[in-house]
Amino acid sequence: QTTSSALKGAIQLGITHTVGSLSTKPERDVLMQDFYVVESIFFPSEGSNLTPAHHYNDFRFKTYAPVAFRYFRELFGIRPDDYLYSLCNEPLIELSNSGASGSLFYVSSDDEFIIKTVQHKEAEFLQKLLPGYYMNLNQNPRTLLPKFYGLYCVQAGGKNIRIVVMNNLLPRSVKMHLKYDLKGSTYKRRASQKEREKVFPTYKDLDFMQDIPDGLFLDSDMYNALCKTLQRDCLVLQSFKIMDYSLLVAIHNMDLAQREHAMADGTSQADTRRPAAQKALYSTAMESIQGEARRGGTIETDDQMGGIPARNAKGERLLLYIGIIDVLQSYRFVKKLEHSWKALVHDGDTVSVHRPSFYAERFQRFMCSTAFKKIPLKPSPSKKSRSGTAVPRRS
């Protein structure tokens, strides 16, 4: 386990150095070549004139596209000192629930950022995406796509460990009652037995259809904002020929939380503290989908904690925390292979790996017809006509 604490330490030393040295460079526009720059600095354990002494083995720290990522952080309202403070002031917390990919996940102690280890291929792909990603964020900072804040590599003992810093979708201060990874595919889309035994399992499409057959109900404006955002995001992913991404949907059931509270009967005061508001802009689920709707006044109330208000078929009040995940497994490099034999084994249409446009369309269809629904509008009594029949309201 020393490796993990050494990795966490090296990440914090490296980020402190790279952000610090960047802040001495003047602000300027991002140029095309900024996307391809890799800065590298050596950290001997005894220290050097550039780096502090430390208790770990010697390591080298690489920062990819530092000027471009500085711009992305700025776009999301993350000040350099906040970024440093969040990531480097207190120890990073390792999340036990690592992804299917076998990646390690760390969260900053203030819940703001996730650090994920990525494979060489994924890091390479993110580098290729950066110019297009830059263009899309400029046009549309409100997105459910992952927000990438930094890409780094720790080289130690002949090993390269690449990490990406992203927004944290699931604040630990909010208890999530259910969590789903949805792709809009049904082939083998059920959580494994091993997954089900976890404290906080991630269920899949078939589980969702079984548990929540009626879907999740959003008010009309919210539903439209969500589906419009998904549509824009899918178009971007499709243009990069990306597939196999998922929508992570975590559900906090407010009514259930109240009942749980009442049952605990005040014996635990654990959850009374308000979660600290996230510093980064557009980083809550609510901000990601509400573009124009929020310009005038803010709809978001304090007790929504960044979640999207929804209801289930029982009418219970829910908060949804959502985001698109797993966008770096690029289709072109990896997935060609998978599709050819899966198609032989199984009817091609339901396999979760298909042409990017087909994938995007199926994904959107599932989200906006099966997973999320508009709250049906009740005809209001005041609109009754003289004959006593309700006038249908246009939704």
Side-chain angles (χ1 to χ4, degrees):
Q1 214 43 53
T2 48
T3 51
S4 180
S5 66
L7 176 61
K8 289 194 280 194
I11 289 170
Q12 290 185 319
L13 285 168
I15 290 178
T16 301
H17 182 274
T18 179
V19 175
S21 74
L22 196 59
S23 62
T24 63
K25 299 193 181 108
E27 293 282 315
R28 61 169 177 75
D29 290 343
V30 177
L31 305 170
M32 194 62 189
Q33 63 255 37
D34 290 322
F35 296 113
Y36 307 106
V37 171
V38 182
E39 280 182 0
S40 173
I41 177 122
F42 184 56
F43 285 79
S45 55
E46 66 276 9
S48 70
N49 56 356
L50 290 175
T51 64
H54 54 84
H55 307 300
Y56 319 109
N57 291 334
D58 297 358
F59 67 92
R60 180 172 286 286
F61 191 83
K62 290 181 173 179
T63 304
Y64 296 86
V67 173
F69 278 110
R70 169 172 72 178
Y71 173 82
F72 294 146
R73 292 193 294 270
E74 217 167 88
L75 196 61
F76 292 119
I78 301 166
R79 304 211 321 270
D81 48 345
D82 286 336
Y83 187 63
L84 278 186
Y85 190 84
S86 293
L87 287 171
C88 303
N89 199 46
E90 288 182 50
L92 298 168
I93 299 154
E94 185 167 350
L95 298 178
S96 51
N97 223 5
S98 70
S101 51
S103 294
L104 285 171
F105 286 85
Y106 299 103
V107 61
S108 60
S109 60
D110 63 357
D111 243 14
E112 190 84 27
F113 302 110
I114 287 275
I115 293 180
K116 178 190 180 186
T117 59
V118 291
Q119 295 158 13
H120 172 65
K121 272 270 193 282
E122 294 174 303
E124 200 174 62
F125 187 53
L126 177 55
Q127 268 180 291
K128 286 204 178 85
L129 286 185
L130 286 179
Y133 183 66
Y134 172 87
M135 184 179 78
N136 288 113
L137 282 186
N138 267 330
Q139 294 179 84
N140 187 23
R142 293 189 188 271
T143 166
L144 290 163
L145 296 172
K147 277 94 177 173
F148 296 112
Y149 302 135
L151 175 63
Y152 309 101
C153 177
V154 177
Q155 276 185 321
K159 272 239 264 310
N160 282 315
I161 300 166
R162 293 170 185 82
I163 59 161
V164 61
V165 180
M166 300 185 290
N167 58 319
N168 179 18
L169 290 175
L170 311 179
R172 281 172 305 145
S173 50
V174 180
K175 179 180 178 183
M176 302 299 168
H177 295 96
L178 281 169
K179 180 175 53 158
Y180 295 93
D181 173 304
L182 303 175
K183 292 185 191 290
S185 162
T186 51
Y187 177 60
K188 288 193 172 171
R189 294 293 297 157
R190 198 181 288 288
S192 67
Q193 196 48 48
K194 188 174 163 219
E195 184 63 36
R196 289 165 192 280
E197 284 157 12
K198 290 182 181 170
V199 183
F200 184 33
T202 303
Y203 296 106
K204 295 185 179 174
D205 303 63
L206 290 169
D207 305 305
F208 182 94
M209 289 155 81
Q210 198 177 322
D211 303 343
I212 314 180
D214 300 312
L216 299 163
F217 294 93
L218 282 73
D219 90 60
S220 168
D221 287 349
M222 206 68 80
Y223 172 89
N224 292 337
L226 172 61
C227 291
K228 188 180 171 192
T229 305
L230 283 171
Q231 196 181 348
R232 288 179 87 165
D233 289 342
C234 283
L235 188 59
V236 170
L237 292 167
Q238 190 182 317
S239 75
F240 288 130
K241 297 192 168 45
I242 295 176
M243 306 204 340
D244 227 29
Y245 44 88
S246 302
L247 189 70
L248 184 67
V249 180
I251 303 171
H252 168 75
N253 184 323
M254 292 164 86
D255 294 337
L256 179 55
Q258 275 180 348
R259 293 199 294 273
E260 288 168 347
H261 241 64
M263 273 173 63
D265 203 38
T267 43
S268 74
Q269 301 111 37
D271 269 8
T272 49
R273 64 195 175 104
R274 278 240 89 51
Q278 281 191 299
K279 292 190 206 74
L281 297 171
Y282 317 119
S283 64
T284 63
M286 189 71 160
E287 292 170 312
S288 298
I289 66 164
Q290 287 197 323
E292 293 66 43
R294 277 192 66 192
R295 288 283 157 74
T298 161
I299 303 174
E300 188 169 356
T301 62
D302 269 354
D303 52 350
Q304 282 167 358
M305 303 180 282
I308 294 170
R311 294 189 179 252
N312 58 18
K314 282 193 211 157
E316 292 174 314
R317 294 168 306 149
L318 314 174
L319 291 177
L320 309 181
Y321 294 83
I322 63 176
I324 295 173
I325 58 169
D326 292 338
V327 302
L328 293 180
Q329 297 142 340
S330 111
Y331 175 57
R332 275 161 309 171
F333 309 141
V334 191
K335 296 290 173 187
K336 272 284 192 286
L337 222 137
E338 212 177 284
H339 184 217
S340 50
W341 67 262
K342 258 196 192 164
L344 299 172
V345 179
H346 196 84
D347 155 43
D349 267 16
T350 45
V351 180
S352 91
V353 178
H354 221 288
R355 300 192 316 283
S357 62
F358 172 83
Y359 190 88
E361 277 156 33
R362 187 185 59 186
F363 181 87
Q364 282 172 72
R365 199 167 51 239
F366 181 84
M367 300 315 159
C368 290
S369 59
T370 305
F372 304 109
K373 310 262 173 80
K374 265 185 210 185
I375 290 178
L377 288 169
K378 297 186 185 70
S380 66
S382 61
K383 292 250 171 67
K384 287 259 164 62
S385 60
R386 286 191 194 89
S387 64
T389 54
V391 177
R393 282 175 61 178
R394 283 204 300 270
S395 57

